[in-house]
Amino acid sequence: MTAPKTMPRLAIEDLSAISLRDGNRPILRRVSLDVGLGEVHGLVGESGAGKSTIAKAILGIIPSQVRIAGGKIGFEGRDLLTLSGSALRAVLGRDIALVPQDPTTALNPSRRIDAQMTDGLRLKRGLSAKEARLRAHSLLEEVQIRDPDRVLASYPHQLSGGMRQRVLIAAAFGLEPKLVIADEPTTALDVTVQKQILRLIRALQERHGTSVLFVSHDLGVVAKICDRVTVLYMGKVVEQGATAAVLAAPRHAYTKALLAANPRYDRPDTGLEPTPPEVITALRAEIAAFDAGSGEARDG
Amino acid sequence: MLLAVIANRAAMALVTLAGVAVVVFILLRVVPGDPVAMMISPGASAADIAALKAHYGLDAPLLVQFGIWTKGIVEGDFGTSITLHRHVTSVLADRLPATIELAVMALFVAVTLGGGIAIVGTLLRRTPGEAVIDGLNSVMLAVPDFIWALALVLLFAVALPVLPLTGQIDPALAEGFSTRFYLTESVLTGRFAVAGNILSHMIMPTLALALPLAAVIVRLLKQSLKEAMLQDYVLLARIKGFGELRLVLQEALRNAIGPTLALTGVQFTFLIGGTVIVERIFAYPGIGNLAIDAIINRDFPLIQGLVLLFGLIFILINIGIDLTVAALKPRLRHA
Ligand SMILES: Nc1ncnc2c1ncn2[C@@H]1O[C@H](COP(=O)(O)OP(=O)(O)O)[C@@H](O)[C@H]1O
Ligand SMILES: [Mg+2]
């Protein structure tokens, strides 16, 4: 795929963040990335690289112990970081939706699926209770749930993990947002279910023309469904480009190592482990040099 | 399952009440002081005293006295009050409604006030407002009902005399009632001026009973709500664009309320116990106030009846809690 020529859907520029928890340690180091219209952009990196922090910054849910130290998050010509609470609330749910990582905790245990799927449609799409219910029904059919009525009447604990993730995906895409953020949407699922969910996200994304920021720690997964990819290490972008190009000719030693580790689709945790120590040492030196150079990340 | 719970609790209730009956019966007769001693004039002869004791059946062996009492209970006769010369059941039936109205009102105020403050405190979390609420709440937690009663008297009857100090209703208005549920009846029959008069009498005792319970509710519910607000499903709802109040009410409250509900039930029994002193302070004509008179006069049959009644109320409240918690369980299983 080629890079989009129009203005991107989401344009993150020089986003920096620090952790107030341990001595203002940098979490994000001038991260820039674009998600084009109708593009699936993969954000890869090992655990703690800062992927979720980027997602949270977009969604305005940065934890109290994390501070955004600089940068912009451009969306529709506005910087999401500077929006007021109510302006951001207007955008969230209508233009931006989230597919969360863990479907077991992302649904309210004491509310029926029906209520949890229709509330957003009523709030953000102005549907009546009846219209929202019909819409939820057809959305569940769209994510290949065979008995939508039973699922709608269920409490979350009555559904399997894969089923719950389908519900959450249906709810996210059902809001017809322009951008969906999927933060490791398959990590908590069984291997067999993972593939179905990935196919589902890609299918929905194509049908609705949605832009997706797809977060994963697994380059293999990202390779399967992303048009472009950004590789993150310790909050710093180490490689960025069209997925095919990056896979064919990785420029950075770290990416090469990730690929050489031959990440296995069915065992997502194995891919990132065996990065050679010399690659890590070199990367850390690179990051230390960056911190010393940029100055901003260290003070305070 | 629910039926099994009820049957189980009913059986346990009977055993508990029987135990309470034995204990109070023996205790009254072992502890010094009896009704006769309270009645006789200073110069009474030993023969007079013996005659009076015989009259009230207090000269028989303990076991025989107990047998007579329990036989009466089985037949629905709880004895006759020595000081009031009326059947214990009819005295209690006269006085219980006032206490029920007071206790239910206090429970309602405590839940509304405590729940409301807990929700506001949750909305204000991590702001100076929360610190203010926490500070006031820890003071409120330390103040017992009778201190509230005295403080309220000083405030609303002495410093700013706007509320009637004692009683349940202006005696001139206490006419034409067909039940003893004065407040309920006056509201249902549309006599709102009378209801207003009753309410003005109830404000101080209600608050005295409600404030300590409200403080407990604030502490626990706010804690649970804050925990619930950190859950992923609240985060997801926030990302749908719901405002904070909606998040608290729609997402957090139902998952947070379990522990508070259970504790409120337990604390409600303490509140009922608190009616004894609070009704006394405000000369409110309920069973709590009656209990103090009965004890002062060593009115054995009345004391026994009152203790059984309090025991029954506590047991009913506990069964109510169990049923509520059981009913909520399927939904809270994964909370
Ligand atoms: N609530 C928090 N407070 C302070 N630091 C945090 C918090 N959450 C995450 N971090 C730090 O931010 C860094 C990046 O975390 P995260 O964005 O969750 O990584 P990823 O999603 O890539 O696994 C980690 O080093 C983590 O310790
Ligand atoms: Mg993460």
Side-chain angles (χ1 to χ4, degrees):
Chain A
M1 291 247 172
T2 51
K5 291 190 181 69
T6 46
M7 189 174 85
R9 185 104 268 171
L10 180 78
I12 299 177
E13 263 175 69
D14 288 335
L15 186 65
S16 295
I18 55 174
S19 164
L20 304 178
R21 209 163 46 188
D22 29 19
N24 293 357
R25 180 174 54 86
I27 304 177
L28 295 178
R29 296 170 155 94
R30 292 179 162 270
V31 172
S32 296
L33 73 85
D34 288 350
V35 183
L37 301 177
E39 179 191 56
V40 181
H41 192 115
L43 182 56
V44 213
E46 58 197 64
S47 174
K51 308 180 297 292
S52 293
T53 304
I54 293 177
K56 286 174 188 165
I58 299 167
L59 298 164
I61 50 167
I62 284 290
S64 57
Q65 289 303 299
V66 173
R67 207 177 74 215
I68 301 293
K72 276 192 214 155
I73 300 178
F75 181 82
E76 312 241 281
R78 293 192 288 179
D79 180 3
L80 294 181
L81 291 175
T82 62
L83 289 189
S84 71
S86 62
L88 184 63
R89 270 201 300 282
V91 172
L92 294 177
R94 192 190 63 207
D95 297 331
I96 303 179
L98 173 76
V99 177
Q101 171 166 357
D102 187 353
T104 55
T105 56
L107 287 164
N108 189 330
S110 61
R111 299 180 72 210
R112 291 180 198 276
I113 300 301
D114 188 356
Q116 305 195 51
M117 283 192 71
T118 54
D119 60 5
L121 291 168
R122 297 178 65 182
L123 180 76
K124 290 298 173 168
R125 294 287 156 214
L127 300 188
S128 71
K130 211 174 156 192
E131 292 165 339
R133 160 98 196 186
L134 283 174
R135 179 103 178 89
H137 192 280
S138 69
L139 284 168
L140 289 183
E141 282 176 337
E142 204 178 340
V143 294
Q144 285 135 41
I145 284 177
R146 257 168 285 119
D147 42 2
D149 285 315
R150 183 188 67 85
V151 170
L152 283 173
S154 301
Y155 287 100
H157 71 260
Q158 295 168 309
L159 305 176
S160 71
M163 199 70 122
R164 280 181 239 181
Q165 194 59 299
R166 279 167 199 269
V167 166
L168 287 163
I169 288 169
F173 280 91
L175 293 164
E176 303 272 350
K178 294 168 179 152
L179 174 70
V180 165
I181 295 172
D183 189 354
E184 312 223 22
T186 61
T187 305
L189 301 176
D190 289 347
V191 180
T192 44
V193 185
Q194 284 189 9
K195 288 188 196 174
Q196 300 166 11
I197 295 292
L198 285 181
R199 252 183 265 129
L200 198 59
I201 291 177
R202 185 79 222 201
L204 282 166
Q205 177 271 329
E206 282 173 0
R207 196 172 317 147
H208 297 271
T210 320
S211 304
V212 176
L213 180 63
F214 188 94
V215 174
S216 176
H217 60 250
D218 187 343
L219 195 51
V221 170
V222 166
K224 281 235 159 37
I225 80 160
C226 295
D227 305 309
R228 285 197 303 152
V229 56
T230 295
V231 181
L232 204 64
Y233 184 83
M234 283 178 72
K236 189 170 182 317
V237 174
V238 292
E239 177 126 21
Q240 200 164 56
T243 309
V246 170
L247 291 183
R251 262 173 292 173
H252 199 284
Y254 180 64
T255 319
K256 275 190 196 121
L258 289 187
L259 285 169
N262 188 20
R264 287 186 49 190
Y265 185 69
D266 56 343
R267 285 168 60 197
D269 288 332
T270 55
L272 297 176
E273 303 275 10
T275 312
E278 62 273 17
V279 174
I280 298 297
T281 314
L283 249 179
R284 284 181 189 261
E286 211 176 292
I287 284 166
F290 172 86
D291 286 353
S294 72
E296 65 162 59
R298 277 284 171 93
D299 9 303
Chain B
M1 190 226 136
L2 223 55
L3 270 175
V5 173
I6 297 173
N8 182 23
R9 293 309 303 258
M12 273 170 58
L14 278 179
V15 174
T16 312
L17 280 178
V20 168
V22 173
V23 169
V24 73
F25 192 89
I26 294 174
L27 214 58
L28 280 175
R29 283 157 183 79
V30 170
V31 170
D34 61 45
V36 174
M38 305 309 294
M39 272 183 265
I40 47 166
S41 44
S45 70
D48 290 343
I49 294 175
L52 264 176
K53 281 202 168 178
H55 176 72
Y56 291 114
L58 294 170
D59 56 342
L62 214 62
L63 215 59
V64 174
Q65 287 188 41
F66 189 71
I68 293 169
W69 185 53
T70 43
K71 181 165 173 288
I73 291 178
V74 172
E75 290 163 359
D77 175 8
F78 286 72
T80 304
S81 160
I82 294 172
T83 43
L84 301 172
H85 311 291
R86 291 171 54 203
H87 279 298
V88 167
T89 35
S90 108
V91 175
L92 295 183
D94 274 0
R95 296 289 206 106
L96 182 59
T99 297
I100 291 179
E101 285 189 337
L102 179 62
V104 169
M105 181 77 102
L107 179 65
F108 174 76
V109 170
V111 168
T112 323
L113 195 68
I117 296 176
I119 288 169
V120 170
T122 307
L123 293 173
L124 295 177
R125 66 196 183 285
R126 297 195 307 264
T127 70
E130 185 187 17
V132 172
I133 287 178
D134 283 351
L136 288 177
N137 194 227
S138 44
V139 174
M140 280 178 61
L141 276 168
V143 180
D145 46 18
F146 62 92
I147 300 287
W148 279 120
L150 297 177
L152 288 163
V153 167
L154 286 178
L155 191 60
F156 292 120
V158 178
L160 202 84
V162 287
L163 292 174
L165 178 56
T166 60
Q168 179 189 18
I169 182 170
D170 197 327
L173 298 172
E175 303 286 327
F177 282 98
S178 50
T179 71
R180 292 279 177 162
F181 290 94
Y182 285 176
L183 180 63
T184 318
E185 189 181 332
S186 60
V187 169
L188 290 181
T189 55
R191 287 188 285 165
F192 296 115
V194 177
N197 182 271
I198 298 171
L199 279 173
S200 71
H201 282 83
M202 286 175 79
I203 288 176
M204 286 197 285
T206 299
L207 282 178
L209 290 169
L211 289 175
L213 177 53
V216 172
I217 291 176
V218 170
R219 155 79 55 98
L220 185 60
L221 184 59
K222 179 163 147 291
Q223 176 68 27
S224 308
L225 279 175
K226 282 175 67 179
E227 277 166 28
M229 287 300 283
L230 299 174
Q231 300 298 311
D232 282 0
Y233 52 82
V234 177
L235 202 66
L236 195 65
R238 177 174 286 126
I239 289 165
K240 286 184 201 165
F242 286 106
E244 281 293 307
L245 182 61
R246 184 92 186 256
L247 293 179
V248 173
L249 297 180
Q250 173 181 289
E251 302 293 330
L253 190 57
R254 259 183 284 189
N255 295 302
I257 199 123
T260 305
L261 221 56
L263 185 73
T264 301
V266 176
Q267 293 285 325
F268 187 46
T269 61
F270 295 163
L271 186 153
I272 302 268
T275 60
V276 173
I277 183 89
V278 169
E279 286 184 0
R280 190 65 175 186
I281 292 172
F282 294 103
Y284 184 88
I287 54 170
N289 200 349
L290 179 68
I292 292 191
D293 285 332
I295 290 166
I296 290 175
N297 296 319
R298 302 292 193 278
D299 191 336
F300 284 2
L302 190 51
I303 296 174
Q304 288 160 188
L306 276 164
V307 169
L308 284 183
L309 179 59
F310 274 111
L312 184 66
I313 292 172
F314 291 176
I315 286 165
L316 288 180
I317 291 172
N318 277 302
I319 292 178
I321 301 167
D322 284 4
L323 291 181
T324 319
V325 170
L328 278 171
K329 243 191 191 125
R331 289 158 145 236
L332 296 176
R333 202 180 310 161
H334 284 242

